[in-house]
Amino acid sequence: MKTKVITQENIHEAAKCLADGGTVVFPTETVYGLGADAFNDDAVSKIFEAKGRPGDNPLIVHISHVSQLSRLAKNVSPRAKLLIEKFWPGPLTLILPKCDSVSSRVTAGLETVAVRFPSNPIAQNLISLSGTLVAAPSANLSGSPSPTVCADVVDDLDGRVDYIIDGTGCEIGLESTVVDVSTGKTVVLRPGGVTLEMIKELIPDAELDKGLIDADSVPKCPGLKYTHYSPKADVIVVQGEKKNVRAYIGSMLSQNSDCGVLTYGGGTYDGAKLVLDAGADMTSYAHNLFSHLRTFDKHGVCTVYAEFNPENGMGTAVRNRLYKAAGHKIVEV
Ligand code: TXA
Ligand code: MG
């Protein structure tokens, strides 16, 4: 398949391709998404094929207007409405009871559907122009970090999709917060840019899925059970007092010359193959994490030592992705 990389000037072409059952990669405020017509099973199958994604991992359906929700969700509870009013459009995905017309190919047989209204104007435009609703997972090959820049999409999906829209705007850098409001409870299944603290201001008894806290229980977000969500390099998280973290990483570097370091708040390391900085706060860390992990891979780094410090807010989302990328190899110093 020949993939066309376009900019938003040619968005009409891509929208038509979606309407005709093709696949289009588009930017969102979180990460790039790999879209197809959510109401066309053959088109949806192409997503799974292009990514090499297991069929038991359901997709998020993207809308460009709140009124479109009635095509997807059987009912929208008052709690869901509170979240919608406050956080849509934006990096929040809601799990809702599905309408019969939503295919089980999209929901992987679940009775619920994941819905997101992205704030990125290119994403909104594409969905509106397509005349349908767009099922879209992150636009990476299954198992690798989600792409936040067009070049990373091309690395993974060139030749596997019809269109890639090169656009700016993955400001957040991590995938959306997934919140299950399909039961009596409000449960964050995947942490993201809309933090638990922000949700609790509206719904005080909202909670994090136990699968996210306790390493032994299975997460309710089917996608989060896959552990191979990582770069090629081995990632080792190092946390503790800054001077201990630096001393530990320094001593590891002296034993192996193929290592990289992801710093938190800057700093240099002698003997590292590559040092990249995640930034000075968790918002920057989130924005940089996936693209930096891909850069370490491009430079052939074998082991990445990642400076980290558990924090609330955006820190919860960063911790979730970083610990997964590390396969839970965490050194406390
Ligand atoms: O920011 C995002 O959410 C990006 C952009 C493209 O919108 N999309 C994204 O999709 O991250 P994906 O497929 O990579 O992750 C969706 C997650 C998966 O872990 C999936 O298992 C979960 O949402 N999910 C989808 N439908 C679900 C459902 N009905 N119940 C529980 N989890 C669901
Ligand atoms: Mg994904």
Coordinates of all heavy atoms in Angstrom, one line a residue, residues 51 53 138 140 146 175, ligand 2:
K51 N -1.8 -2.1 12.7 CA -1.0 -2.0 14.0 C -0.5 -3.3 14.4 O 0.4 -3.3 15.3 CB -2.0 -1.5 15.1 CG -2.2 0.0 15.1 CD -3.1 0.3 16.3 CE -2.5 0.1 17.7 NZ -1.9 1.2 18.4
R53 N -2.6 -5.3 16.1 CA -3.2 -5.2 17.4 C -4.0 -6.4 17.7 O -4.8 -6.8 16.8 CB -4.1 -3.9 17.4 CG -4.8 -3.6 18.7 CD -5.5 -2.3 18.6 NE -6.4 -1.9 19.7 CZ -6.1 -0.9 20.5 NH1 -5.0 -0.3 20.4 NH2 -7.0 -0.6 21.4
S138 N -4.1 4.7 19.2 CA -2.8 5.4 19.0 C -2.2 4.8 17.7 O -2.3 3.6 17.4 CB -1.9 5.3 20.2 OG -1.8 3.9 20.6
N140 N 0.7 3.8 16.6 CA 2.0 3.1 16.7 C 1.7 1.6 16.3 O 0.6 1.1 16.4 CB 2.5 3.2 18.1 CG 1.4 2.8 19.1 OD1 0.5 3.5 19.4 ND2 1.6 1.6 19.7
S146 N 3.4 5.3 21.8 CA 2.5 6.1 21.0 C 3.3 7.2 20.3 O 4.2 7.9 21.0 CB 1.4 6.7 21.8 OG 0.6 5.6 22.4
E175 N -1.5 9.4 26.1 CA -2.9 9.1 25.7 C -3.9 9.6 26.7 O -3.5 9.8 27.9 CB -3.1 7.6 25.4 CG -2.1 6.9 24.5 CD -0.9 6.4 25.3 OE1 -0.6 6.9 26.5 OE2 -0.2 5.6 24.8
Ligands
MG2 MG -2.3 2.7 22.2

